[in-house]
Amino acid sequence: MERRSQADRDAITIEIGYAVVSACFAAALAFGAVFGPALAFSLSPSTRRILAVAGGILAAAVFLLRVTHVLLGFARRPENDED
């Protein structure tokens, strides 16, 4: 098993950070798109609760999909970028 260089470990750390930050942003947008009408309009408490739960579920799914997409893309990147 080959040891990774410091540059490789740094690149992985940066990519994980990017994946988490961009996933948080995408999840917040998804939640806002679903729950936003509850803030803009006078809705019943049960409707607000339904929108909050649906927004949370969608936000969690978007978060997981974004992190997976970014990290799998990084894993498939060619090892030798110097060419």
Side-chain angles (χ1 to χ4, degrees):
M1 182 172 231
E2 185 180 330
R3 290 185 54 105
R4 296 183 190 264
S5 69
Q6 184 63 42
D8 288 339
R9 291 192 307 265
D10 290 345
I12 292 168
T13 301
I14 289 169
E15 198 67 22
I16 291 169
Y18 169 72
V20 170
V21 169
S22 67
C24 285
F25 182 73
L29 286 177
F31 181 81
V34 173
F35 190 68
L39 299 174
F41 302 109
S42 177
L43 301 176
S44 69
S46 61
T47 303
R48 290 175 66 93
R49 194 173 314 115
I50 290 169
L51 288 176
V53 170
I57 291 169
L58 180 63
V62 167
F63 180 87
L64 291 174
L65 287 172
R66 178 66 183 158
V67 167
T68 302
H69 177 74
V70 170
L71 294 181
L72 286 178
F74 179 76
R76 290 184 183 133
R77 189 182 66 164
E79 290 283 332
N80 192 358
D81 290 335
E82 297 161 3
D83 293 337

